[in-house]
């Protein structure tokens, strides 16, 4: 277990991290996700030992490592842009940390070959790294991080320079490699799709603090704050006013006066402005009817969009805001159709506007 306890870090007047706590389990793939400037790279650098925290502790298997020089920590980094040595061939790039550790030549040969095999670059030993494709360079960078047999591999946006298709392939490869080796991987990314698809757990950072940590399903389906709801998933948003609570749910009033039930956020108070969120795939299209059922809004289809693997429709609702929804394969929605949209209460998340909470 890696324990990150109460870490604080400032750069001049800029707070990069404050009161940051996180536990990373052995053998898990954890992503640090968040917008630019939220402190992801600073945290990764503090774990690696490239940056010193102003306060707090980093413990690995219950021993403090935050005073240990980077090269003596059992963690290795795959850098953004890979930071390969252009004048060295593939073999020497991968061997670099092993030579620093003064391992015997025989051991160096064995480990480099083993690492290159793991990333599928066995026949590339003699190649200059400059002649490799982006994906191949990334594999060399991963092999270089694996060669010293670290306990934790730290990855700083390793996929950011790759095109979409290659990125998806490399994500799958990394995930398989991590599971096969049963190592702990900590990945920094600002790409929510990437974090959700490769990770066992995702830690979402916001303004130098941990906003929520959980499995991809938890983060996606049970956002704990409006920040998480707006950062993860392409959700519909709407504003309402708070009315009353009913257990774990809350009932809010929409701009047209209609009431709507949803999951009450931790911060939801009994009065004031509310922000509501719902994912397009959770909204149901219903036929228009004279009466409105619970959590249904009357509306008119603005347009429908064919998106290859799915179909979507925009509906202008009588509640005063548009709703985007995913259509079933056999459903059709034509511009101008009068319809109703249902916002299932367990998939509608309600938060007080402009608040945040500690996880
Ligand atoms: P990005 O996705 O853009 O890399 P990030 O989430 O990794 O962002 P950090 O690089 O950790 O964020 O930066 C956190 C904050 O600390 C930012 O406001 C950044 O400007 C500041 N910061 C980071 N490194 C330094 C530095 N060496 N000197 C001054 N400020 C810094």
């Amino acid at each position: 277990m890696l324990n990150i306890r109460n870490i604080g870090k400032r750069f001049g007047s800029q707070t990069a991290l404050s009161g940051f706590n996180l536990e990373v389990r052995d053998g898990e793939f954890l992503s640090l996700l968040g917008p630019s400037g939220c402190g992801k790279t600073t945290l990764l650098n503090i774990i690696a030992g490239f940056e010193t925290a102003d306060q707090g502790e980093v413990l690995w298997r219950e021993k403090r490592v935050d005073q240990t020089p980077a090269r003596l920590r059992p963690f290795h980094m795959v850098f953004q842009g890979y930071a390969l040595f252009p004048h060295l061939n593939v073999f020497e790039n991968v061997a670099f940390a092993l030579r620093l550790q003064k391992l015997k030549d025989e051991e160096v040969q064995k480990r480099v070959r083993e690492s290159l095999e793991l990333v599928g670059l066995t026949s590339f030993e003699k190649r200059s790294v400059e002649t490799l494709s982006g994906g191949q360079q990334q594999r060399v960078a991963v092999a270089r991080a694996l060669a010293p047999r670290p306990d934790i591999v730290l990855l700083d946006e390793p996929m950011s320079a790759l095109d979409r298709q290659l990125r998806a392939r490399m994500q799958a490869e990394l995930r398989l490699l991590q599971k096969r080796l049963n190592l702990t991987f900590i990945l920094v990314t600002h790409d929510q799709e990437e974090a959700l698809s490769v990770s066992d757990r995702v830690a979402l950072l916001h303004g130098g603090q941990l906003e929520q940590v959980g499995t991809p399903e938890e983060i996606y389906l049970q956002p704990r704050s409006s920040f998480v709801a707006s950062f993860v998933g392409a959700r519909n948003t709407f504003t309402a006013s708070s009315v009353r609570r009913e257990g774990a749910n809350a009932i809010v009033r929409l701009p047209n006066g209609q009431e709507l039930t949803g999951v009450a956020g931790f911060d939801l108070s009994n009065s004031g402005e509310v922000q509501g969120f719902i994912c397009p795939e959770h909204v149901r299209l219903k036929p228009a009817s004279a009466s409105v059922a619970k959590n249904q809004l009357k509306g008119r289809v603005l347009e429908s969009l064919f998106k290859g693997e799915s179909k979507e429709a925009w509906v202008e609702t009588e509640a005063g805001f548009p709703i985007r929804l995913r259509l079933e394969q056999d459903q059709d929605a034509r511009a101008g159709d009068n319809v109703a949209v249902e916002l299932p209460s367990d998939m509608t998340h309600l938060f007080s506007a402009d608040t945040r909470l500690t996880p």
Side-chain angles (χ1 to χ4, degrees):
M1 179 98 81
L2 180 77
N3 278 293
I4 295 154
R5 287 198 191 145
N6 199 28
I7 291 289
K9 177 72 182 173
R10 294 174 72 88
F11 295 100
S13 62
Q14 183 72 43
T15 302
L17 293 166
S18 74
F20 196 97
N21 292 289
L22 181 65
E23 287 182 353
V24 187
R25 301 166 188 157
D26 287 8
E28 83 170 326
F29 199 134
L30 180 118
S31 290
L32 302 174
L33 173 70
S36 184
C38 70
K40 310 178 293 289
T41 303
T42 303
L43 182 63
L44 203 71
N45 284 337
I46 288 171
I47 299 169
F50 302 141
E51 203 76 80
T52 317
D54 300 333
Q55 68 172 72
E57 299 175 346
V58 179
L59 291 97
W60 170 238
R61 298 193 169 143
E62 286 162 27
K63 290 202 182 77
R64 272 188 81 163
V65 290
D66 44 277
Q67 307 297 328
T68 310
R71 64 190 164 80
L72 299 179
R73 298 186 194 188
F75 315 148
H76 278 271
M77 179 93 106
V78 178
F79 295 93
Q80 189 169 20
Y82 320 134
L84 298 175
F85 304 111
H87 57 287
L88 299 179
N89 66 19
V90 168
F91 184 98
E92 288 306 325
N93 263 282
V94 178
F96 190 76
L98 307 176
R99 300 227 190 268
L100 283 183
Q101 288 179 357
K102 307 225 180 317
L103 292 182
K104 283 202 186 113
D105 210 42
E106 215 172 285
E107 185 65 18
V108 172
Q109 302 269 349
K110 183 169 157 242
R111 294 218 202 162
V112 171
R113 301 230 155 94
E114 185 184 274
S115 306
L116 286 175
E117 197 187 328
L118 283 170
V119 299
L121 286 182
T122 306
S123 57
F124 284 71
E125 284 181 17
K126 299 268 176 325
R127 285 273 292 271
S128 150
V129 291
E130 284 178 310
T131 66
L132 302 180
S133 70
Q136 289 163 341
Q137 288 186 10
Q138 200 227 39
R139 289 201 190 104
V140 176
V142 172
R144 184 175 63 179
L146 291 175
R149 297 186 180 153
D151 291 323
I152 302 183
V153 180
L154 305 168
L155 304 114
D156 188 6
E157 305 244 15
M159 261 81 73
S160 61
L162 307 177
D163 66 44
R164 198 180 148 86
Q165 251 180 336
L166 187 55
R167 198 158 68 209
R169 207 173 86 206
M170 298 311 288
Q171 286 165 359
E173 278 187 19
L174 272 184
R175 169 86 189 163
L176 287 172
L177 192 62
Q178 182 265 338
K179 286 290 157 238
R180 195 166 134 208
L181 300 175
N182 195 28
L183 290 177
T184 305
F185 274 33
I186 304 177
L187 169 77
V188 159
T189 181
H190 61 265
D191 178 344
Q192 52 138 327
E193 243 181 80
E194 179 167 292
L196 295 179
S197 61
V198 300
S199 316
D200 295 308
R201 287 192 310 150
V202 177
L204 198 67
L205 279 71
H206 179 208
Q209 292 188 317
L210 182 64
E211 188 84 9
Q212 183 171 353
V213 60
T215 63
E217 288 83 359
E218 284 165 351
I219 297 277
Y220 191 81
L221 297 174
Q222 298 157 33
R224 293 191 60 197
S225 67
S226 52
F227 172 76
V228 180
S230 55
F231 194 77
V232 182
R235 289 171 215 261
N236 293 291
T237 64
F238 55 87
T239 52
S241 50
S242 190
V243 178
R244 62 187 185 277
R245 290 182 84 118
E246 261 180 16
N249 283 342
I251 292 149
V252 293
R253 193 177 304 286
L254 298 175
N256 67 339
Q258 195 178 337
E259 289 191 347
L260 184 88
T261 305
V263 181
F266 291 81
D267 62 349
L268 196 68
S269 57
N270 283 332
S271 61
E273 194 172 284
V274 174
Q275 256 186 303
F277 295 89
I278 185 158
C279 293
E281 68 272 26
H282 297 142
V283 178
R284 298 195 194 115
L285 187 68
K286 300 278 175 186
S289 65
S291 61
V292 273
K294 186 173 175 247
N295 271 39
Q296 285 192 11
L297 312 176
K298 285 185 181 180
R300 209 161 54 87
V301 177
L302 288 173
E303 61 174 337
S304 69
L305 309 162
F306 176 67
K307 305 192 78 177
E309 62 202 34
S310 65
K311 286 188 293 184
E312 287 185 351
W314 278 100
V315 173
E316 183 63 48
T317 69
E318 285 183 5
F321 51 84
I323 285 281
R324 188 163 59 92
L325 62 103
R326 182 156 323 154
L327 297 171
E328 301 293 333
Q329 283 304 332
D330 56 353
Q331 270 182 332
D332 248 331
R334 269 177 309 215
D337 283 356
N338 285 319
V339 294
V341 288
E342 185 180 322
L343 281 53
S345 57
D346 57 341
M347 292 298 168
T348 304
H349 293 271
L350 305 167
F351 303 99
S352 282
D354 295 330
T355 56
R356 54 174 308 162
L357 66 148
T358 39

